[in-house]
Amino acid sequence: MSFLADLRNALGRENVLSSPSELAVYDCDAFTVERRTPGAVVFPRSTQDVVEVVKLCRRHHVAVVARGAGTSRAGGCLPISSPLLPFKECATAGLPSSAWEHARENTVGQASSDTLVLMLTRMNKILKIDLRNRMAVVEPGVVNSQLALSLLGTGYHFAPDPASQTVSTLGGNAATNAGGPHTLKYGVTVNHILGLEAVLADGGVLQVGPSASARPLDLVGILIGSEGTLAIITKLWVRLTPTPQDNRVIRAVFKSPDDACNATGQIIAAGVIPAAMELMDRGILAAVEEAFHFGFPADAGAVLIIEVDGLTVGLDRQQERVTELCRRFGASDVAQATSAEEKAMLWKCRRSTGGTIGRLSPSSITLDGVVPRTKLPHLIRRAVEIGRKYNLRVVNVAHAGDGNLHPLVLFDERDREQVGRATAAGREILEECIAAGGSISAEHGIGVEKLALMSRQFAPSDLEAMRRVRYAFDPIGIFNPGKTIPT
Ligand SMILES: Cc1cc2nc3c(=O)[nH]c(=O)nc-3n(C[C@H](O)[C@H](O)[C@H](O)COP(=O)(O)OP(=O)(O)OC[C@H]3O[C@@H](n4cnc5c(N)ncnc54)[C@H](O)[C@@H]3O)c2cc1C
């Protein structure tokens, strides 16, 4: 039987897409620079379905690209064929290095008809909310904010809240180890995953439940952030965090990003750990203001949105301290959101920067560098300068408390020459992050976007260790080839 016939047989015709117009939707993710159409798209509804699909892909030499909502900013869902699958026969006996060499030279990244996109979005059930054990059990296709809504009124929440939370899935959040505005106080996704189930490259099912705390190897830690290259996550046990009693949201206007970053550092040095400290520079503020008419001053060089949370009794004091420090270190205007609506509006402004960017330019690349907090002003300045060097505009948002900056390189993807300049500018900005003692990714992952920079960030021995881990999980290179770890 043909591959498509096998898939339809296993999953039902309604769960397999194969016409060119249907497949075109899955040729890229939120990283817009590259596109490749997959050979097929499938929608499993259970772990067993995923097992069947993986076994069929092995039999037909087809690479498997897991996909949640496709909001990856790093090209993690781009369908790329596997260099190794033609050598399936060698895999059982261990791949000879000549197979790797031959495969690398001849097949990597060619046609994508031998790729399959495995959509996890129909595995979208919240299986259990267990408040007594402060955890929930979910399928990978549950949307982050869907879990948040289900927990309303319980006094608990799932802390990781990427700005994409109304669309991105918990499986995608786990596979990318997503962060978000509240990472400063609450940590990234790996800090909130207690256990998981995953389908392995040979079709076996791995289950590391939440009670296996004495496990000698941290398999959950290895799989979180592995971007679909080691296994397909099919179930998650997630930690539920008590919802803070109250919060205050403060908006501080500064003349420049330098002043705003300096105030951020001073707040942390003073011993206050806000839940979030988000920075928007002048360039992005213009787009946000046009969209929401919030009333940011036209001459603002940067705005910080600062949230403090916790027990109501201590919040006024924290808010006064933050306000005083912002004023002392250069804020011209500091105001507190006075109603729930105003708080929501401020957060909407920040969370919608990705959407409002369309007002500035047809396309953009959102970078995801991270540097020591004190180096943030330098990096923001350099990002703008590097943009100028390539004759492109760069605007900035940042999770300023974490030193995580998101320069947005603006361009027009219909012009190939501009695409080349935008990619080069992005690479140079990330190299600048490495030079400043930081890293090429804080939360978006490596995908295809930063693959070439991995050897700048890591020593050959580090990369070799990563390759060996990958090989141990997936000796035939069936899962998400061409991503994350350079082969
Ligand atoms: C407007 C916007 C704002 C964003 N804000 C943030 C932010 O604040 N913080 C942040 O961290 N990221 C952010 N992102 C990036 C993105 O939303 C996150 O990386 C998110 O976690 C991806 O989830 P997803 O469901 O869309 O995954 P996808 O994009 O579908 O997949 C991402 C990667 O995970 C793999 N994958 C997906 N599901 C599985 C699975 N079940 N098993 C194994 N591998 C899997 C894919 O193969 C791919 O490599 C933003 C993106 C956009 C467009």
Side-chain angles (χ1 to χ4, degrees):
M1 256 203 294
S2 76
F3 179 52
L4 279 175
D6 274 345
L7 287 174
R8 288 184 188 124
N9 217 18
L11 298 189
R13 185 167 282 276
E14 69 285 6
N15 294 316
V16 181
L17 304 181
S18 60
S19 76
S21 57
E22 289 169 328
L23 298 180
V25 178
Y26 302 90
D27 69 358
C28 69
D29 48 31
F31 175 71
T32 51
V33 172
E34 237 183 306
R35 284 164 201 271
R36 292 188 198 196
T37 310
V41 178
V42 294
F43 293 83
R45 290 174 184 270
S46 66
T47 302
Q48 193 49 39
D49 282 356
V50 177
V51 169
E52 295 301 324
V53 171
V54 170
K55 285 184 176 167
L56 285 176
C57 287
R58 276 180 78 98
R59 191 179 318 147
H60 290 274
H61 301 185
V62 172
V64 181
V65 181
R67 182 170 169 127
T71 63
S72 165
R73 291 277 198 202
C77 304
L78 194 71
I80 296 180
S81 53
S82 170
L84 295 181
L85 283 173
F87 300 92
K88 183 183 89 149
E89 296 73 21
C90 317
T92 45
L95 272 173
S97 59
S98 57
W100 282 88
E101 289 309 321
H102 176 87
R104 192 179 302 151
E105 279 163 26
N106 293 288
T107 48
V108 69
Q110 298 291 307
S112 47
S113 57
D114 49 1
T115 57
L116 171 127
V117 170
L118 182 86
M119 290 295 297
L120 279 310
T121 47
R122 290 185 191 166
M123 290 178 67
N124 60 358
K125 288 194 267 315
I126 297 173
L127 301 170
K128 191 175 182 184
I129 290 181
D130 177 359
L131 294 182
R132 282 185 304 176
N133 287 305
R134 292 189 175 186
M135 70 178 184
V137 188
V138 297
E139 291 187 327
V142 171
V143 170
N144 180 304
S145 62
Q146 185 190 338
L147 180 60
L149 284 176
S150 305
L151 289 167
L152 274 182
T154 64
Y156 290 89
H157 72 294
F158 178 62
D161 63 338
S164 58
Q165 74 175 148
T166 53
V167 276
S168 66
T169 64
L170 294 173
N173 295 167
T176 54
N177 193 17
H182 293 89
T183 296
L184 175 61
K185 183 166 177 185
Y186 293 100
V188 287
T189 302
V190 73
N191 306 119
H192 300 272
I193 304 294
L194 300 169
L196 54 75
E197 176 190 88
V199 174
L200 301 170
D202 63 359
V205 178
L206 170 87
Q207 200 171 96
V208 195
S211 54
S213 53
R215 45 181 107 101
L217 258 183
D218 182 7
L219 291 175
V220 173
I222 289 176
L223 290 179
I224 301 301
S226 64
E227 301 183 44
T229 62
L230 304 183
I232 310 294
I233 299 167
T234 48
K235 197 192 282 183
L236 291 154
W237 284 260
V238 304
R239 186 193 303 284
L240 300 182
T241 301
T243 303
Q245 199 177 45
D246 204 353
N247 68 2
R248 303 276 187 273
V249 181
I250 300 147
R251 179 208 66 171
V253 179
F254 294 84
K255 279 199 297 298
S256 69
D258 279 32
D259 287 350
C261 292
N262 187 26
T264 304
Q266 298 295 346
I267 289 167
I268 288 176
V272 183
I273 303 294
M277 282 202 274
E278 298 291 300
L279 180 145
M280 295 183 278
D281 79 357
R282 186 194 297 272
I284 192 72
L285 278 170
V288 168
E289 190 55 29
E290 197 183 307
F292 297 109
H293 312 291
F294 191 82
F296 294 123
D299 61 346
V303 163
L304 278 181
I305 296 175
I306 304 170
E307 180 177 317
V308 286
D309 69 5
L311 294 174
T312 311
V313 69
L315 283 182
D316 284 342
R317 176 77 199 103
Q318 280 194 56
Q319 182 210 312
E320 279 162 19
R321 189 90 180 98
V322 167
T323 303
E324 182 229 319
L325 287 162
C326 283
R327 289 225 164 89
R328 183 163 3 134
F329 291 97
S332 57
D333 175 15
V334 187
Q336 188 202 322
T338 50
S339 62
E341 290 73 38
E342 233 176 87
K343 282 181 194 172
M345 186 50 138
L346 265 177
W347 272 115
K348 191 171 176 188
C349 288
R350 168 59 188 94
R351 287 187 185 281
S352 307
T353 48
T356 54
I357 201 76
R359 291 169 185 268
L360 300 179
S361 151
S363 328
S364 61
I365 303 175
T366 307
L367 301 170
D368 174 40
V370 60
V371 290
R373 209 178 288 123
T374 48
K375 298 279 175 61
L376 204 50
H378 167 68
L379 251 300
I380 290 177
R381 257 195 320 274
R382 283 296 294 138
V384 174
E385 282 165 17
I386 291 169
R388 267 192 218 117
K389 172 177 155 190
Y390 287 93
N391 202 18
L392 293 169
R393 197 163 163 222
V394 173
V395 299
N396 287 285
V397 294
H399 305 303
D402 309 328
N404 177 195
L405 73 156
H406 294 313
L408 293 119
V409 183
L410 310 183
F411 68 105
D412 185 342
E413 69 175 295
R414 292 164 296 189
D415 176 349
R416 292 312 296 171
E417 193 267 334
Q418 274 197 48
V419 174
R421 274 191 281 132
T423 311
R427 185 163 300 180
E428 200 167 320
I429 292 169
L430 292 179
E431 280 176 349
E432 197 80 28
C433 290
I434 300 173
S439 164
I440 53 179
S441 179
E443 53 179 24
H444 291 175
I446 303 302
V448 288
E449 184 201 12
K450 296 154 206 144
L451 198 60
L453 285 167
M454 285 289 280
S455 55
R456 303 295 288 268
Q457 172 90 59
F458 294 100
S461 54
D462 301 340
L463 291 174
E464 186 52 27
M466 291 182 214
R467 270 185 218 115
R468 281 168 189 257
V469 171
R470 186 169 188 172
Y471 182 78
F473 272 88
D474 181 13
I476 61 168
I478 195 171
F479 287 146
N480 217 1
K483 316 281 165 58
T484 311
I485 302 165
T487 45

